[in-house]
Amino acid sequence: MSTAPDLLFRTLADPTRRAIFERLCREGEQTVGALTAQSGVSQPAVSKHLGALKQAGLVRDRHEGRQTHYSAQPGALNPLVDWTSQMAGFWQNRLDALDDLLKRMDQ
Amino acid sequence: MSTAPDLLFRTLADPTRRAIFERLCREGEQTVGALTAQSGVSQPAVSKHLGALKQAGLVRDRHEGRQTHYSAQPGALNPLVDWTSQMAGFWQNRLDALDDLLKRMDQ
DNA sequence: TTAATCCATAACCTGATAGTTATGGATTTC
DNA sequence: GAAATCCATAACTATCAGGTTATGGATTAA
């Protein structure tokens, strides 16, 4: 089940891809052309990144005539949030255990 | 300053490296040998991963005789938490804006 | 002192991937 | 219908990163 964060981390690791996702989060739905215009890479590169983002469930696409609109998919980041809080939780648990141990030694 | 999540995402994108970090979070401080024993890769590979994790601020090392103990560094995940909540925040803002717009149209 | 253990670094190999150009299908515009 | 626009896919290239083996320095054990 820990396979969910894996795809998310891999997908968001690339800077230009993450920049595209960030822009969709900030400004909402965008066409491929609009995203390409300020991405610094070619249109096919953007299309590939969008494909990767879509496969990771981070974006949705909507076809309208000859253009495709992409939008960030809310909730797709949830496994990431879960993972981080889980890691923080483990750390907290060990702190608590240490605390207990010290208390027992103190008596 | 948005360079902080970049290193974190890149560092955590690799599965075996993330597994090492997870184990340090779950079980606390470990020697390189212990980490190697269940990593499925060679000791030099583990050392390199630990170096990457250290450079990202995700782990600390402590030398004791001829062995090195590594431990997860709490708080190193904070930029990740910030980034995700920021993305979620953007999305929420746009929802609010849409809500406002609909309310204004309704009148 | 010698031998063995632990770890880090170097050197090298290989596969994955992000980038490119070329192309074509679908749609709109003239 | 013809031309132009938008986007996706194919094919190729080059870079990078994760893996390996080899090695050596530092420390502990015999």
Side-chain angles (χ1 to χ4, degrees), chain A residues 22-97:
Chain A
E22 288 180 8
R23 181 156 192 231
L24 289 176
C25 285
R26 289 178 201 270
E27 310 178 12
E29 197 180 66
Q30 306 269 336
T31 68
V32 177
L35 291 170
T36 300
Q38 58 93 56
S39 66
V41 295
S42 65
Q43 173 266 312
V46 172
S47 276
K48 278 210 290 187
H49 283 308
L50 288 169
L53 289 169
K54 181 179 172 183
Q55 194 168 1
L58 286 163
V59 301
R60 272 170 24 93
D61 59 346
R62 179 175 69 82
H63 299 279
E64 180 179 332
R66 66 186 167 189
Q67 47 193 2
T68 311
H69 299 259
Y70 282 88
S71 55
Q73 190 71 349
L77 293 176
N78 286 352
L80 219 65
V81 177
D82 295 345
W83 184 86
T84 53
S85 50
Q86 205 183 0
M87 291 307 116
F90 289 142
W91 178 69
Q92 189 59 46
N93 284 342
R94 292 207 327 283
L95 261 199
D96 293 348

Coordinates of all heavy atoms in Angstrom, one line a residue, chain A residues 22-97:
Chain A
E22 N 2.4 23.5 -10.0 CA 2.2 24.7 -9.1 C 1.4 25.7 -9.8 O 0.5 26.3 -9.2 CB 3.6 25.2 -8.7 CG 4.4 24.4 -7.7 CD 5.7 25.0 -7.3 OE1 5.9 26.1 -7.7 OE2 6.5 24.3 -6.7
R23 N 1.7 25.9 -11.1 CA 1.0 27.0 -11.8 C -0.5 26.6 -11.9 O -1.4 27.5 -11.8 CB 1.6 27.2 -13.2 CG 0.9 28.2 -14.0 CD 1.7 28.9 -15.0 NE 1.1 30.1 -15.6 CZ 0.9 30.3 -16.9 NH1 1.3 29.4 -17.8 NH2 0.3 31.4 -17.3
L24 N -0.8 25.4 -12.1 CA -2.2 24.9 -12.2 C -2.9 25.1 -10.9 O -4.1 25.4 -10.8 CB -2.3 23.5 -12.7 CG -1.9 23.2 -14.1 CD1 -1.9 21.8 -14.5 CD2 -2.9 24.0 -15.0
C25 N -2.1 24.9 -9.8 CA -2.7 25.1 -8.5 C -3.0 26.6 -8.2 O -4.1 27.0 -7.7 CB -1.7 24.6 -7.4 SG -1.7 22.8 -7.2
R26 N -2.0 27.5 -8.6 CA -2.2 28.9 -8.4 C -3.3 29.5 -9.2 O -4.1 30.2 -8.7 CB -0.9 29.6 -8.7 CG 0.3 29.4 -7.8 CD 1.5 30.2 -8.3 NE 2.7 29.6 -7.7 CZ 3.3 30.0 -6.6 NH1 2.7 30.9 -5.9 NH2 4.4 29.4 -6.1
E27 N -3.2 29.2 -10.5 CA -4.0 30.0 -11.4 C -5.2 29.2 -12.0 O -5.9 29.7 -12.8 CB -3.1 30.5 -12.6 CG -1.9 31.2 -12.0 CD -1.0 31.7 -13.2 OE1 -1.4 31.6 -14.3 OE2 0.2 32.0 -12.9
G28 N -5.3 27.9 -11.6 CA -6.4 27.2 -12.1 C -6.2 26.7 -13.5 O -5.1 26.7 -14.1
E29 N -7.3 26.2 -14.1 CA -7.3 25.6 -15.4 C -6.5 26.3 -16.5 O -6.6 27.6 -16.6 CB -8.7 25.4 -15.9 CG -8.9 24.4 -17.0 CD -10.3 24.3 -17.4 OE1 -10.9 25.3 -17.9 OE2 -10.9 23.2 -17.2
Q30 N -5.7 25.6 -17.3 CA -4.8 26.2 -18.3 C -4.8 25.3 -19.5 O -4.8 24.1 -19.4 CB -3.4 26.4 -17.8 CG -3.3 27.1 -16.5 CD -3.1 28.6 -16.7 OE1 -2.6 29.0 -17.8 NE2 -3.5 29.4 -15.7
T31 N -4.7 25.9 -20.7 CA -4.5 25.1 -21.9 C -3.0 24.8 -22.0 O -2.1 25.3 -21.4 CB -4.9 25.9 -23.2 OG1 -3.9 27.0 -23.3 CG2 -6.3 26.5 -23.0
V32 N -2.7 23.8 -22.9 CA -1.3 23.3 -23.1 C -0.5 24.5 -23.6 O 0.6 24.7 -23.2 CB -1.3 22.2 -24.1 CG1 0.1 21.8 -24.4 CG2 -2.1 21.0 -23.5
G33 N -1.1 25.3 -24.5 CA -0.4 26.4 -25.1 C 0.0 27.4 -24.1 O 1.2 27.9 -24.0
A34 N -0.9 27.7 -23.2 CA -0.6 28.7 -22.1 C 0.5 28.2 -21.2 O 1.4 28.9 -20.8 CB -1.9 29.0 -21.3
L35 N 0.4 26.9 -20.9 CA 1.5 26.3 -20.0 C 2.8 26.3 -20.7 O 3.9 26.6 -20.1 CB 1.1 24.9 -19.6 CG -0.1 24.8 -18.7 CD1 -0.6 23.4 -18.5 CD2 0.2 25.4 -17.3
T36 N 2.8 26.0 -22.0 CA 4.0 26.0 -22.8 C 4.7 27.3 -22.8 O 5.9 27.4 -22.7 CB 3.8 25.5 -24.2 OG1 3.2 24.2 -24.2 CG2 5.1 25.4 -25.0
A37 N 3.9 28.4 -23.0 CA 4.4 29.7 -23.2 C 5.4 30.2 -22.1 O 6.3 30.9 -22.4 CB 3.2 30.7 -23.2
Q38 N 5.2 29.7 -20.9 CA 6.1 30.1 -19.8 C 6.9 29.0 -19.1 O 7.3 29.1 -18.0 CB 5.3 31.0 -18.8 CG 4.2 30.2 -18.2 CD 4.6 29.6 -16.9 OE1 5.1 30.2 -16.0 NE2 4.3 28.3 -16.8
S39 N 6.9 27.9 -19.8 CA 7.6 26.7 -19.2 C 9.1 26.7 -19.5 O 9.8 26.0 -18.8 CB 6.9 25.4 -19.7 OG 7.2 25.3 -21.1
G40 N 9.5 27.3 -20.6 CA 10.9 27.2 -20.9 C 11.3 26.0 -21.7 O 12.4 25.8 -22.1
V41 N 10.3 25.1 -22.0 CA 10.6 23.9 -22.8 C 9.6 23.9 -23.9 O 8.7 24.7 -24.0 CB 10.6 22.6 -21.9 CG1 11.7 22.7 -20.9 CG2 9.2 22.5 -21.3
S42 N 9.8 22.9 -24.8 CA 9.0 22.8 -26.0 C 7.6 22.3 -25.6 O 7.4 21.7 -24.6 CB 9.6 21.9 -27.0 OG 9.7 20.6 -26.4
Q43 N 6.7 22.4 -26.6 CA 5.3 21.9 -26.4 C 5.2 20.4 -26.1 O 4.5 20.0 -25.2 CB 4.4 22.4 -27.5 CG 3.0 21.9 -27.5 CD 2.9 20.6 -28.3 OE1 3.4 20.5 -29.5 NE2 2.3 19.5 -27.8
P44 N 6.0 19.6 -26.9 CA 5.9 18.2 -26.7 C 6.4 17.8 -25.3 O 5.8 16.9 -24.6 CB 6.8 17.6 -27.7 CG 6.8 18.6 -28.9 CD 6.7 19.9 -28.2
A45 N 7.4 18.6 -24.8 CA 7.9 18.3 -23.4 C 6.8 18.6 -22.4 O 6.6 17.8 -21.5 CB 9.1 19.2 -23.2
V46 N 6.1 19.7 -22.6 CA 5.0 20.0 -21.7 C 3.9 18.9 -21.8 O 3.4 18.5 -20.7 CB 4.4 21.4 -22.1 CG1 3.1 21.6 -21.2 CG2 5.4 22.5 -21.8
S47 N 3.6 18.5 -23.0 CA 2.6 17.4 -23.1 C 3.0 16.2 -22.4 O 2.2 15.5 -21.7 CB 2.4 17.1 -24.6 OG 1.5 18.0 -25.2
K48 N 4.3 15.8 -22.4 CA 4.7 14.6 -21.7 C 4.6 14.8 -20.2 O 4.2 13.9 -19.5 CB 6.2 14.3 -22.1 CG 6.3 13.5 -23.4 CD 7.5 12.6 -23.5 CE 8.8 13.3 -23.6 NZ 9.9 12.4 -23.8
H49 N 5.0 16.0 -19.7 CA 4.9 16.3 -18.3 C 3.4 16.2 -17.9 O 3.1 15.6 -16.8 CB 5.5 17.6 -18.0 CG 7.0 17.7 -18.0 ND1 7.7 16.8 -17.2 CD2 7.9 18.4 -18.6 CE1 9.0 17.0 -17.4 NE2 9.1 18.0 -18.2
L50 N 2.6 16.7 -18.7 CA 1.1 16.7 -18.3 C 0.7 15.3 -18.3 O -0.2 14.9 -17.4 CB 0.3 17.5 -19.3 CG 0.5 19.0 -19.2 CD1 -0.1 19.8 -20.4 CD2 -0.1 19.5 -17.9
G51 N 1.2 14.4 -19.2 CA 0.8 13.0 -19.2 C 1.2 12.4 -17.9 O 0.5 11.6 -17.3
A52 N 2.5 12.7 -17.5 CA 3.0 12.1 -16.2 C 2.1 12.6 -15.0 O 1.8 11.8 -14.2 CB 4.4 12.5 -16.0
L53 N 1.8 13.9 -15.0 CA 1.0 14.4 -13.9 C -0.4 13.7 -13.9 O -0.9 13.4 -12.8 CB 0.9 15.9 -14.1 CG 2.1 16.7 -13.8 CD1 1.9 18.2 -14.2 CD2 2.5 16.7 -12.3
K54 N -0.9 13.5 -15.1 CA -2.2 12.9 -15.2 C -2.2 11.5 -14.7 O -3.1 11.0 -13.9 CB -2.7 12.9 -16.6 CG -4.1 12.3 -16.8 CD -4.5 12.4 -18.3 CE -5.8 11.7 -18.6 NZ -6.1 11.7 -20.0
Q55 N -1.1 10.8 -15.0 CA -1.0 9.4 -14.6 C -0.9 9.2 -13.1 O -1.3 8.2 -12.5 CB 0.2 8.7 -15.3 CG 0.2 7.2 -15.2 CD 1.2 6.6 -16.1 OE1 1.9 7.3 -16.8 NE2 1.4 5.3 -16.1
A56 N -0.3 10.3 -12.5 CA -0.1 10.3 -11.1 C -1.4 10.8 -10.4 O -1.5 10.9 -9.1 CB 1.1 11.2 -10.7
G57 N -2.4 11.2 -11.2 CA -3.7 11.6 -10.6 C -3.6 13.1 -10.1 O -4.5 13.5 -9.4
L58 N -2.5 13.8 -10.5 CA -2.4 15.2 -10.0 C -3.1 16.2 -10.8 O -3.4 17.3 -10.4 CB -0.9 15.5 -10.0 CG -0.1 14.8 -8.9 CD1 1.4 14.9 -9.1 CD2 -0.4 15.5 -7.5
V59 N -3.5 15.8 -12.1 CA -4.2 16.7 -12.9 C -5.4 16.0 -13.7 O -5.3 14.8 -13.8 CB -3.3 17.4 -14.0 CG1 -2.2 18.2 -13.3 CG2 -2.7 16.4 -14.9
R60 N -6.3 16.8 -14.1 CA -7.4 16.3 -15.0 C -7.3 17.0 -16.3 O -6.8 18.1 -16.4 CB -8.7 16.6 -14.4 CG -9.3 15.6 -13.4 CD -10.5 16.1 -12.7 NE -11.2 17.1 -13.4 CZ -12.3 16.9 -14.2 NH1 -12.7 15.7 -14.4 NH2 -12.9 17.9 -14.8
D61 N -7.8 16.4 -17.4 CA -7.8 17.1 -18.7 C -9.2 17.2 -19.2 O -10.1 16.3 -18.9 CB -6.9 16.5 -19.7 CG -7.2 15.1 -20.0 OD1 -8.0 14.5 -19.2 OD2 -6.7 14.5 -21.0
R62 N -9.5 18.2 -19.9 CA -10.8 18.5 -20.4 C -10.6 19.0 -21.9 O -9.9 20.0 -22.1 CB -11.5 19.6 -19.6 CG -12.9 20.0 -20.0 CD -13.5 20.9 -19.0 NE -12.8 22.2 -19.0 CZ -13.1 23.2 -19.9 NH1 -14.0 23.0 -20.9 NH2 -12.4 24.3 -19.9
H63 N -11.2 18.3 -22.8 CA -11.1 18.6 -24.2 C -12.2 19.6 -24.6 O -13.3 19.4 -24.3 CB -11.1 17.4 -25.1 CG -10.0 16.4 -24.7 ND1 -8.7 16.6 -25.2 CD2 -9.9 15.3 -24.0 CE1 -7.9 15.6 -24.8 NE2 -8.7 14.8 -24.0
E64 N -11.7 20.6 -25.4 CA -12.7 21.6 -25.8 C -12.2 22.1 -27.2 O -11.3 22.8 -27.3 CB -12.8 22.8 -24.8 CG -13.7 23.9 -25.2 CD -13.8 25.0 -24.2 OE1 -13.5 24.7 -23.0 OE2 -14.0 26.1 -24.6
G65 N -12.9 21.5 -28.2 CA -12.4 21.8 -29.5 C -11.0 21.3 -29.8 O -10.8 20.1 -29.4
R66 N -10.2 22.0 -30.3 CA -8.8 21.5 -30.6 C -7.9 21.8 -29.4 O -6.7 21.4 -29.5 CB -8.3 22.1 -31.9 CG -8.0 23.6 -31.8 CD -7.6 24.1 -33.1 NE -7.7 25.6 -33.1 CZ -7.5 26.3 -34.2 NH1 -7.3 25.8 -35.4 NH2 -7.6 27.6 -34.1
Q67 N -8.4 22.4 -28.4 CA -7.4 22.6 -27.3 C -7.8 21.8 -26.0 O -9.0 21.4 -25.8 CB -7.3 24.1 -26.9 CG -8.6 24.9 -26.8 CD -8.3 26.3 -26.8 OE1 -7.1 26.7 -26.9 NE2 -9.3 27.2 -26.6
T68 N -6.8 21.5 -25.2 CA -7.0 20.7 -24.0 C -6.7 21.5 -22.8 O -5.7 22.1 -22.7 CB -6.1 19.5 -24.1 OG1 -6.2 18.8 -25.3 CG2 -6.4 18.5 -22.9
H69 N -7.7 21.5 -21.9 CA -7.5 22.3 -20.7 C -7.1 21.3 -19.6 O -7.7 20.3 -19.4 CB -8.8 23.0 -20.3 CG -9.3 24.0 -21.3 ND1 -9.1 25.3 -21.2 CD2 -9.9 23.8 -22.5 CE1 -9.6 26.0 -22.2 NE2 -10.1 25.1 -23.1
Y70 N -6.1 21.7 -18.8 CA -5.6 20.9 -17.7 C -5.9 21.7 -16.4 O -5.8 22.9 -16.3 CB -4.2 20.6 -17.8 CG -3.9 19.5 -18.8 CD1 -3.6 19.7 -20.1 CD2 -3.8 18.1 -18.3 CE1 -3.4 18.7 -21.0 CE2 -3.5 17.1 -19.2 CZ -3.3 17.4 -20.6 OH -3.0 16.4 -21.4
S71 N -6.2 20.9 -15.3 CA -6.4 21.5 -14.0 C -5.9 20.6 -12.9 O -5.9 19.4 -13.1 CB -7.9 21.8 -13.8 OG -8.7 20.6 -14.0
A72 N -5.4 21.2 -11.9 CA -4.9 20.5 -10.7 C -6.0 19.7 -10.1 O -7.2 20.2 -10.0 CB -4.2 21.4 -9.7
Q73 N -5.7 18.5 -9.6 CA -6.7 17.7 -9.0 C -6.5 17.7 -7.5 O -5.6 17.2 -6.9 CB -6.5 16.2 -9.5 CG -7.6 15.3 -9.2 CD -8.9 15.6 -9.9 OE1 -9.0 16.6 -10.6 NE2 -9.8 14.7 -9.8
P74 N -7.5 18.3 -6.8 CA -7.4 18.4 -5.4 C -7.5 17.1 -4.7 O -8.2 16.2 -5.2 CB -8.6 19.3 -5.0 CG -9.6 19.0 -6.1 CD -8.8 18.8 -7.3
G75 N -6.8 16.9 -3.7 CA -6.8 15.6 -3.0 C -5.8 14.6 -3.4 O -5.5 13.6 -2.7
A76 N -5.2 14.9 -4.6 CA -4.2 14.0 -5.1 C -2.9 14.0 -4.2 O -2.1 13.1 -4.2 CB -3.8 14.4 -6.5
L77 N -2.8 15.1 -3.4 CA -1.6 15.3 -2.6 C -1.8 14.6 -1.2 O -0.9 14.5 -0.4 CB -1.3 16.7 -2.3 CG -0.8 17.5 -3.6 CD1 -0.6 19.0 -3.2 CD2 0.5 16.9 -4.1
N78 N -3.0 14.1 -1.0 CA -3.3 13.5 0.3 C -2.3 12.4 0.7 O -1.9 12.4 1.9 CB -4.7 12.9 0.3 CG -5.7 14.0 0.4 OD1 -5.4 15.2 0.6 ND2 -7.0 13.7 0.3
P79 N -2.0 11.4 -0.2 CA -1.0 10.4 0.3 C 0.3 11.0 0.7 O 0.9 10.5 1.6 CB -0.8 9.6 -1.0 CG -2.1 9.7 -1.8 CD -2.5 11.1 -1.5
L80 N 0.7 12.1 0.2 CA 1.9 12.8 0.6 C 1.7 13.4 2.0 O 2.6 13.2 2.8 CB 2.2 14.0 -0.4 CG 3.6 14.2 -0.8 CD1 4.1 13.0 -1.5 CD2 3.8 15.4 -1.6
V81 N 0.6 14.0 2.2 CA 0.3 14.5 3.6 C 0.3 13.3 4.6 O 0.9 13.4 5.7 CB -1.0 15.2 3.6 CG1 -1.3 15.7 5.0 CG2 -1.0 16.4 2.7
D82 N -0.3 12.2 4.2 CA -0.4 11.1 5.1 C 1.0 10.6 5.4 O 1.4 10.3 6.6 CB -1.2 9.9 4.5 CG -2.7 10.3 4.3 OD1 -3.1 11.3 4.9 OD2 -3.4 9.6 3.5
W83 N 1.8 10.5 4.4 CA 3.2 9.9 4.6 C 4.0 10.8 5.5 O 4.6 10.3 6.4 CB 3.9 9.8 3.2 CG 5.2 9.2 3.3 CD1 5.5 7.9 3.2 CD2 6.5 9.9 3.4 NE1 6.9 7.7 3.3 CE2 7.5 8.9 3.4 CE3 6.8 11.3 3.5 CZ2 8.8 9.3 3.5 CZ3 8.2 11.6 3.6 CH2 9.1 10.6 3.6
T84 N 4.0 12.1 5.3 CA 4.8 13.0 6.1 C 4.3 13.0 7.6 O 5.1 12.9 8.5 CB 4.7 14.5 5.6 OG1 3.3 14.8 5.5 CG2 5.4 14.6 4.3
S85 N 3.0 13.0 7.8 CA 2.5 12.9 9.2 C 2.8 11.6 9.8 O 3.1 11.5 11.0 CB 1.0 13.3 9.2 OG 0.3 12.5 8.3
Q86 N 2.8 10.5 9.0 CA 3.2 9.2 9.5 C 4.7 9.2 10.0 O 5.0 8.8 11.1 CB 3.0 8.2 8.4 CG 2.8 6.8 9.0 CD 2.7 5.8 7.9 OE1 2.8 6.1 6.7 NE2 2.5 4.5 8.2
M87 N 5.5 9.8 9.2 CA 7.0 9.9 9.6 C 7.1 10.7 10.8 O 7.8 10.3 11.8 CB 7.8 10.5 8.4 CG 7.9 9.7 7.2 SD 8.5 8.0 7.5 CE 7.1 7.0 7.0
A88 N 6.4 11.8 10.9 CA 6.5 12.7 12.1 C 5.9 11.9 13.3 O 6.4 12.1 14.4 CB 5.7 14.0 11.8
G89 N 4.9 11.1 13.0 CA 4.3 10.3 14.1 C 5.3 9.3 14.7 O 5.4 9.2 15.9
F90 N 6.0 8.6 13.8 CA 7.0 7.7 14.3 C 8.0 8.3 15.2 O 8.3 7.8 16.3 CB 7.7 7.0 13.1 CG 6.9 6.1 12.3 CD1 7.0 6.1 10.9 CD2 6.0 5.3 12.9 CE1 6.2 5.2 10.2 CE2 5.2 4.4 12.2 CZ 5.3 4.4 10.8
W91 N 8.4 9.5 14.7 CA 9.4 10.2 15.5 C 8.8 10.6 16.9 O 9.5 10.4 17.9 CB 9.8 11.5 14.7 CG 10.8 12.3 15.5 CD1 12.1 12.0 15.7 CD2 10.6 13.6 16.0 NE1 12.7 13.0 16.4 CE2 11.8 14.0 16.6 CE3 9.4 14.4 16.1 CZ2 11.9 15.2 17.3 CZ3 9.6 15.6 16.8 CH2 10.8 16.0 17.4
Q92 N 7.6 11.1 16.9 CA 6.9 11.4 18.1 C 6.8 10.2 19.0 O 7.0 10.3 20.2 CB 5.6 12.0 17.8 CG 4.9 12.7 19.0 CD 5.8 13.8 19.6 OE1 6.3 14.6 18.8 NE2 5.9 13.8 20.9
N93 N 6.4 9.1 18.5 CA 6.3 7.9 19.3 C 7.6 7.5 20.0 O 7.6 7.2 21.2 CB 5.9 6.7 18.4 CG 4.4 6.8 18.0 OD1 3.6 7.6 18.7 ND2 4.0 6.1 17.0
R94 N 8.7 7.7 19.3 CA 9.9 7.3 19.9 C 10.3 8.3 21.0 O 10.9 8.0 22.0 CB 11.0 7.2 18.8 CG 10.8 6.1 17.8 CD 12.1 5.6 17.3 NE 13.1 6.8 17.1 CZ 13.0 7.7 16.2 NH1 12.1 7.6 15.2 NH2 13.8 8.7 16.1
L95 N 9.9 9.5 20.7 CA 10.1 10.5 21.8 C 9.3 10.2 23.0 O 9.8 10.2 24.2 CB 9.7 11.9 21.3 CG 10.8 12.8 20.8 CD1 10.3 14.3 20.8 CD2 12.0 12.7 21.7
D96 N 8.1 9.8 22.8 CA 7.2 9.4 24.0 C 7.8 8.2 24.7 O 7.9 8.2 25.9 CB 5.8 9.1 23.4 CG 5.1 10.3 22.9 OD1 5.6 11.4 23.1 OD2 4.1 10.1 22.2
A97 N 8.3 7.2 23.9 CA 8.9 6.1 24.5 C 10.1 6.4 25.4 O 10.3 5.9 26.5 CB 9.3 5.1 23.5

